[in-house]
Amino acid sequence: MPKDFRTFVAIDLPSALKLRIEKWSNRFKDYTDYRWTDTQNLHLTLNFVGSVTEQDITPLCREIESRLCDLPRFSIALGGCGAFPRTSRPRVVWLGVARGEEPVIQAHRRTEALLVEQLYPRDRLNFHPHVTLGRANRGARQNASMETVIQSASDVTFDSFNVEEITIFESVLERQGPRYTPIFRVKLT
């Protein structure tokens, strides 16, 4: 039986940065009503693609490459902690982009245009570049101290890093949490 790939397009983070984020984000770990992102899974999503058939995965990866390969390499810095939909009701706790947001948005728009042309569903939310730190569990209680912790972390900024490639990941949902595997890398110029 042919395999379907649950996929997304993202900027993978350098390992050293992932470890710095893990150490910094320990302030959130006491909030057990949240599923915190495993360190190795930290990334900045450009586009969620969804299910792609085995037959279509290679052509789609090549199309994404053709849309992104002429983008120049760029530098970004992560910073600013926040929450969706808002800090007073945090369903998703995130780390934003403090510097270098424009090339991230450009890569997102190029990929989104291709996905719409290929009839993949468009994300219904406005794009806000971020790294997801954690998501509230179903039935999570609203916690005023979580809002305080997020607000106290809002001025964080990490060192910038160079983005030299965009990665297409497969996401496999497992009992212990998702596993993300790179299936294609687009080198930037």
Side-chain angles (χ1 to χ4, degrees):
M1 179 187 284
K3 175 181 177 177
D4 280 2
F5 293 82
R6 183 175 188 268
T7 58
F8 63 93
V9 182
I11 296 170
D12 200 4
L13 306 182
S15 296
L17 177 58
K18 289 179 181 182
L19 292 174
R20 286 193 300 277
I21 292 170
E22 176 188 39
K23 185 176 179 180
W24 169 84
S25 66
N26 278 334
R27 68 189 71 217
F28 298 111
K29 302 299 178 171
D30 289 339
Y31 295 90
T32 57
D33 281 347
Y34 289 79
R35 293 178 316 278
W36 300 104
T37 304
D38 288 337
T39 303
Q40 71 271 13
N41 283 348
L42 292 170
H43 65 276
L44 193 157
T45 301
L46 296 174
N47 303 86
F48 180 74
V49 181
S51 184
V52 181
T53 65
E54 188 172 28
Q55 165 185 326
D56 292 337
I57 192 68
T58 299
L60 180 63
C61 289
R62 293 289 180 207
E63 282 291 326
I64 292 171
E65 179 180 43
S66 74
R67 297 289 175 106
L68 298 178
C69 67
D70 67 334
L71 282 177
R73 297 173 181 164
F74 56 93
S75 178
I76 64 173
L78 300 177
C81 184
F84 297 132
R86 56 190 172 280
T87 57
S88 62
R89 194 168 156 246
R91 302 297 306 156
V92 174
V93 179
W94 51 258
L95 184 62
V97 176
R99 290 187 305 276
E101 188 176 78
E102 190 50 44
V104 174
I105 292 170
Q106 185 179 11
H108 160 76
R109 286 181 180 153
R110 285 186 182 197
T111 306
E112 182 179 57
L114 169 67
L115 294 173
V116 169
E117 287 171 20
Q118 299 277 333
L119 303 179
Y120 287 93
R122 174 179 268 168
D123 195 339
R124 66 191 194 314
L125 303 173
N126 289 331
F127 180 65
H128 177 88
H130 67 280
V131 174
T132 298
L133 300 175
R135 296 179 185 279
N137 293 322
R138 289 187 202 271
R141 293 168 284 129
Q142 195 161 333
N143 189 323
S145 66
M146 175 59 106
E147 179 180 6
T148 303
V149 172
I150 293 169
Q151 288 174 344
S152 72
S154 65
D155 63 351
V156 66
T157 302
F158 290 90
D159 292 339
S160 62
F161 66 97
N162 294 324
V163 177
E164 299 181 356
E165 63 186 18
I166 305 293
T167 305
I168 300 162
F169 286 93
E170 176 184 19
S171 172
V172 176
L173 302 178
E174 298 177 336
R175 179 177 218 106
Q176 63 274 23
R179 179 174 37 88
Y180 303 148
T181 306
I183 55 174
F184 195 85
R185 296 183 195 275
V186 177
K187 301 288 184 197
L188 304 179
T189 59

